[in-house]
Amino acid sequence: MKNRIILHIDMDYFFAQIEERENPQFKGKPVVVGADPKEGKGRGVVSTANYIARKYGIHSAMPISKAYQLCPKAVFLPVNHELYQKVSENIMNIVKKYSPRFELVSLDEAYLDLSETVVKPLLWQSYYDSYKKGEVLAKKLKKEIFKKEKLTSTVGIGPNKLIAKMASVEAKPDGLLVIKPNQIQKFLNPLDVEKIPGVGPKTAEVLRKLGVNKIKELSKIKKSKLKEIFGKVGKDIADKARGIDKSEVCPKTEVKSVGKEHTFDKDTRDPEIIFPTFEKIIKEVWQELQRGDFSIQGVSVICRFQGFETKSKQKSFEKAKSNLEFLEKTAKKLLLELLLKNQNLVRLIGLRVKVEE
Ligand code: TTP
Ligand code: MG
Ligand code: MG
């Protein structure tokens, strides 16, 4: 369908918001969910922080020791994955009701293609008018989630997945932003180039050297020129800077990924510490996966060495496989490859498995 209306929803400070809901005494305080800070000596990372803690500069993936330094009085909580998984299921069961074309992105994030449900019944109206109906639906969805789960979310609506996602990022927290096709460039222009999904710090640095900071400037560069500089992805960047994204909301399968990692108390090379820990991680990931019917699509192993040097190795599979033995064999092989390639002490190991349900 040419004229589409896509909705993107993402829960606000998801893990930390659930913790606030479960423990009302934390409301109004900075809350950080992640590894144990051990009074500044902890070695894991932050999973997420509420918006009060973010004011201190704390964010996801930051070393927990740094977070402790920035705000020692914050409430530090361990990750209760089982609880967040359950809440996620409840929320996604609500989201799914709003369109049969549903795509789960992560525990707290999903897309809906509203084209069939919103645009089609309104052929007698203009495509632009139907955005109003999309907005009404989004408000209803946010309200229903809040009523049933007592959690706030943010929704973005646009003519494609890219714009819907970027709109929700801009509208956070507890927001709703609708971008109609004729508003795309105006919406994108003032944003930094890094706001484009897929434009990381390295790409942004190259662009900055060319004097390109905002999407407005980027959108004026010819596609062929970006292709020259960045190769194949240059074409993709050129499209995104113009708000073009043809990717479909994938309704058939739900791809999700489950991951766990562990930071050792002391950097180590001891196989009797590394491998039993890794086996425990594999078992935990497996337990979490077993909640549904699934096939393994990819296995990725991460190793962080002394000095924070982080390496990962992954393997993808075409054909569905889903047994623990297979996962153990694949994951251990990848870990071994990483360890053989790098002789440094190991700080952290982790496993992520992508499955299709
Ligand atoms: P996000 O949706 O990226 O972040 P968020 O919900 O905490 O905050 P917001 O959307 O309001 O910006 O991630 C969802 C959850 O995934 C997050 O609550 C915790 C977890 N997570 C990690 O464990 N590590 C990470 O590096 C990130 C980015 C998220
Ligand atoms: Mg979120
Ligand atoms: Mg998210």
Side-chain angles (χ1 to χ4, degrees):
M1 181 183 282
K2 205 165 131 252
N3 293 333
R4 296 188 295 162
I5 296 191
I6 310 296
L7 179 151
H8 177 261
I9 182 161
D10 187 288
M11 301 304 296
D12 304 322
Y13 60 108
F14 190 47
F15 293 3
Q17 199 187 172
I18 296 173
E19 294 294 347
E20 276 181 10
R21 180 189 79 178
E22 302 295 303
N23 308 279
Q25 72 272 24
F26 298 154
K27 269 256 157 73
K29 292 183 181 161
V31 176
V32 180
V33 177
D36 185 347
K38 297 187 178 161
E39 293 182 336
K41 294 191 199 76
R43 291 159 44 93
V45 291
V46 173
S47 284
T48 195
N50 68 359
Y51 280 77
I52 303 168
R54 288 183 199 191
K55 283 196 189 133
Y56 294 84
I58 299 172
H59 58 77
S60 292
M62 169 184 273
I64 199 79
S65 54
K66 174 94 188 285
Y68 188 83
Q69 233 174 41
L70 289 169
C71 186
K73 65 163 203 264
V75 179
F76 287 90
L77 301 167
V79 179
N80 182 353
H81 216 276
E82 210 161 317
L83 170 65
Y84 314 149
Q85 176 81 35
K86 184 77 209 99
V87 177
S88 168
E89 277 165 27
N90 295 346
I91 290 165
M92 293 308 163
N93 282 334
I94 299 172
V95 178
K96 271 179 199 166
K97 290 193 307 186
Y98 284 72
S99 169
R101 292 176 70 86
F102 164 84
E103 180 181 330
L104 185 71
V105 181
S106 70
L107 274 187
D108 84 328
E109 188 178 344
Y111 288 101
L112 289 176
D113 187 333
L114 302 179
S115 313
E116 299 283 325
T117 42
V118 174
V119 179
K120 222 178 174 181
L122 287 174
L123 279 181
W124 49 274
Q125 277 187 339
S126 84
Y127 168 51
Y128 278 71
D129 284 341
S130 60
Y131 270 77
K132 283 199 197 87
K133 203 168 168 190
E135 187 170 348
V136 171
L137 210 83
K139 280 185 184 153
K140 216 173 128 198
L141 170 60
K142 273 167 61 79
K143 231 181 176 161
E144 185 176 348
I145 292 172
F146 189 75
K147 190 162 169 243
K148 294 194 171 141
E149 289 294 323
K150 296 281 173 293
L151 294 170
T152 65
S153 57
T154 298
V155 170
I157 289 181
N160 57 46
K161 286 167 81 175
L162 172 78
I163 297 297
K165 160 97 186 173
M166 289 178 78
S168 82
V169 170
E170 290 313 305
K172 273 192 170 290
D174 196 14
L176 167 60
L177 182 57
V178 181
I179 305 293
K180 294 179 196 167
N182 63 344
Q183 299 169 321
I184 291 178
Q185 210 60 54
K186 202 173 156 206
F187 164 66
L188 292 176
N189 280 343
L191 302 177
D192 290 335
V193 290
E194 277 118 315
K195 287 284 176 95
I196 297 177
V199 174
K202 276 189 199 151
T203 308
E205 188 52 38
V206 176
L207 289 170
R208 253 194 298 279
K209 284 200 180 122
L210 295 168
V212 175
N213 295 296
K214 302 286 177 191
I215 299 181
K216 181 176 184 177
E217 293 141 12
L218 183 60
S219 70
K220 298 213 164 110
I221 302 179
K222 277 205 176 124
K223 199 185 257 191
S224 53
K225 171 102 192 187
L226 288 171
K227 224 175 132 187
E228 242 170 65
I229 304 170
F230 298 106
K232 231 171 151 189
V233 286
K235 218 173 119 238
D236 200 34
I237 294 173
D239 279 342
K240 286 177 175 171
R242 293 162 178 78
I244 299 168
D245 171 26
K246 295 203 167 75
S247 66
E248 294 274 337
V249 173
C250 159
K252 286 177 217 81
T253 49
E254 290 177 22
V255 175
K256 71 169 187 184
S257 82
V258 173
K260 292 240 181 302
E261 41 184 58
H262 178 84
T263 306
F264 296 110
D265 285 334
K266 248 175 80 183
D267 296 342
T268 181
R269 243 351 249 200
D270 186 348
E272 294 195 14
I273 293 177
I274 295 175
F275 280 94
T277 306
F278 195 55
E279 270 161 24
K280 203 170 145 241
I281 292 176
I282 296 172
K283 293 245 157 62
E284 281 173 10
V285 168
W286 181 253
Q287 265 167 15
E288 205 169 297
L289 287 171
Q290 274 194 315
R291 282 160 214 274
D293 265 348
F294 66 91
S295 66
I296 296 175
Q297 301 278 299
V299 176
S300 150
V301 174
I302 172 177
C303 229
R304 181 167 293 147
F305 295 95
Q306 201 169 37
F308 238 71
E309 187 191 357
T310 308
K311 297 274 177 217
S312 69
K313 256 191 176 294
Q314 42 271 329
K315 212 166 159 44
S316 324
F317 306 97
E318 288 270 343
K319 266 233 177 110
K321 294 189 175 143
S322 64
N323 64 72
L324 176 59
E325 253 170 42
F326 172 76
L327 175 62
E328 274 184 331
K329 211 174 114 197
T330 312
K332 280 184 189 165
K333 191 161 169 262
L334 291 172
L335 176 65
L336 212 58
E337 283 172 22
L338 284 168
L339 292 174
L340 288 175
K341 249 196 170 161
N342 194 320
Q343 302 299 324
N344 285 337
L345 293 175
V346 180
R347 178 187 172 92
L348 169 151
I349 51 171
L351 168 71
R352 181 159 286 279
V353 180
K354 204 164 99 182
V355 298
E356 197 173 79
E357 280 190 48

